[in-house]
Amino acid sequence: MNITRNDHALSACPVCGSAHAEQFATEFVVVRKCAKPICGHLYAVEVMPAAGVHEHDEDNIVWYASRNQQLIGKLLADGHVKEHGRVLDIGSGLGHIMAELKRQAPSVEVVCVEAAPKSVAYLKKYGFSVIEDMTSLDPAECGCFDAIFMVEVIEHLDDPLALLSVCRKLLNPGGFVFLTTPCGELRNGSHATAAYQIREHIQFFTERSLRLVVTKAGFQSIEFKELREYHVGSNNPLAKLVKDTARILRNKLQGRHHLIAFIK
Ligand SMILES: [Zn+2]
């Protein structure tokens, strides 16, 4: 059985192709860190192809409801997502973010991309247009989009550079990718982040390696955002203020634990 992702998977960084500088084991995978100073990407080795594909739990939809409401409300209020626009959601899972988008902006046309069979069936049952085959992600086949969502997705991909390169070609002028992912390494070198707590995570980006991969994919800019704008956190305004402030201070000291970015 072939356990390598591709021919160079055991030695080369999937972002820049360099050799690794260090290797360590986490609960689920063996991780290598790219030796190139401008990259330093972290990635799982000795994993099966498509090891990052996973099914989604219907119970989580309720848990995400308030976050989705805030996230979509903020993106619409800021004019990032517009009425009658086209949105591509890569790694839709059960479609809870897009369901909230359709609720708040019914005129937006949504296309989902999902690889997990049960999630695909669920999305279709609820009327979503679904692309299952990544090779169909071609402007000639599916058209172009004003916004592409990749929420907690890039950490699951075999080849993030290839997909981001495709995304760039799928964007209308002025379009953007909204991407979130847990950070793979803090400023002090610590790997104590949520990135390593899930079995299907195989890419562990930092601000630096994310900046490099989007540049290599042909994008012009990446802007990192603070979580507080997109996350309810608490219904109690004082508790939210305290939590948000603590998180901002922690991020200033340690670097962001979670990366939220607009890519253009
Ligand atoms: Zn690298």
Side-chain angles (χ1 to χ4, degrees):
M1 187 183 288
N2 176 17
I3 59 162
T4 62
R5 214 176 298 145
N6 51 46
D7 289 343
H8 61 85
L10 285 177
S11 59
C13 167
V15 171
C16 76
S18 299
H20 67 284
E22 58 180 278
Q23 175 172 308
F24 56 92
T26 68
E27 184 180 353
F28 299 118
V29 285
V30 173
V31 175
R32 285 186 176 173
K33 180 178 176 179
C34 171
K36 202 171 180 178
I38 62 157
C39 179
H41 182 58
L42 301 112
Y43 53 99
V45 291
E46 298 173 27
V47 291
M48 296 283 287
V53 175
H54 67 124
E55 289 290 358
H56 300 78
D57 189 346
E58 218 168 321
D59 295 343
N60 289 339
I61 292 179
V62 176
W63 193 83
Y64 285 122
S66 60
R67 183 212 56 184
N68 293 341
Q69 201 176 339
Q70 172 105 355
L71 168 68
I72 294 299
K74 175 74 178 153
L75 291 172
L76 287 166
D78 288 350
H80 291 304
V81 178
K82 295 181 176 69
E83 292 283 351
H84 304 287
R86 291 192 88 215
V87 171
L88 183 70
D89 184 31
I90 298 180
S92 297
L94 301 179
H96 50 84
I97 298 176
M98 291 302 107
E100 179 63 21
L101 175 59
K102 290 298 285 179
R103 192 182 71 80
Q104 292 194 35
S107 70
V108 173
E109 184 192 341
V110 169
V111 177
C112 297
V113 180
E114 180 53 55
K118 284 181 193 161
S119 297
V120 170
Y122 186 95
L123 288 166
K124 286 182 174 171
K125 183 175 144 194
Y126 284 93
F128 285 106
S129 169
V130 187
I131 293 174
E132 298 170 61
D133 175 7
M134 290 282 198
T135 60
S136 301
L137 284 174
D138 182 316
E141 260 190 73
C142 62
C144 283
F145 297 88
D146 303 302
I148 299 178
F149 282 62
M150 289 177 70
V151 175
E152 307 296 288
V153 167
I154 199 169
E155 62 273 20
H156 295 272
L157 300 176
D158 287 349
D159 191 342
L161 174 56
L163 185 61
L164 282 167
S165 301
V166 170
C167 286
R168 191 182 57 80
K169 296 186 185 109
L170 288 169
L171 281 178
N172 283 325
F176 65 92
V177 175
F178 178 76
L179 182 152
T180 75
T181 189
C183 186
E185 187 175 276
L186 301 176
R187 210 172 279 153
N188 63 4
S190 164
H191 302 118
T193 75
Y196 301 99
Q197 292 168 5
I198 292 177
R199 185 181 296 276
E200 294 88 358
H201 287 181
I202 54 178
Q203 307 289 342
F204 310 97
F205 280 90
T206 61
E207 283 190 36
R208 198 169 23 144
S209 67
L210 193 58
R211 207 177 278 282
L212 183 65
V213 77
V214 302
T215 303
K216 280 183 170 287
F219 288 94
Q220 301 295 313
S221 69
I222 179 165
E223 185 185 353
F224 291 98
K225 295 286 188 181
E226 288 293 342
L227 184 69
R228 69 178 184 280
E229 295 184 67
Y230 304 101
H231 198 269
V232 177
S234 170
N235 290 324
N236 178 331
L238 183 61
K240 176 169 167 55
L241 180 68
V242 170
K243 274 188 182 177
D244 286 344
T245 306
R247 191 186 298 115
I248 289 167
L249 285 173
R250 183 198 66 184
N251 286 353
K252 278 205 189 314
L253 286 170
Q254 301 180 340
R256 289 185 174 89
H257 284 231
H258 215 96
L259 306 176
I260 302 171
F262 279 94
I263 299 161
K264 290 181 180 173

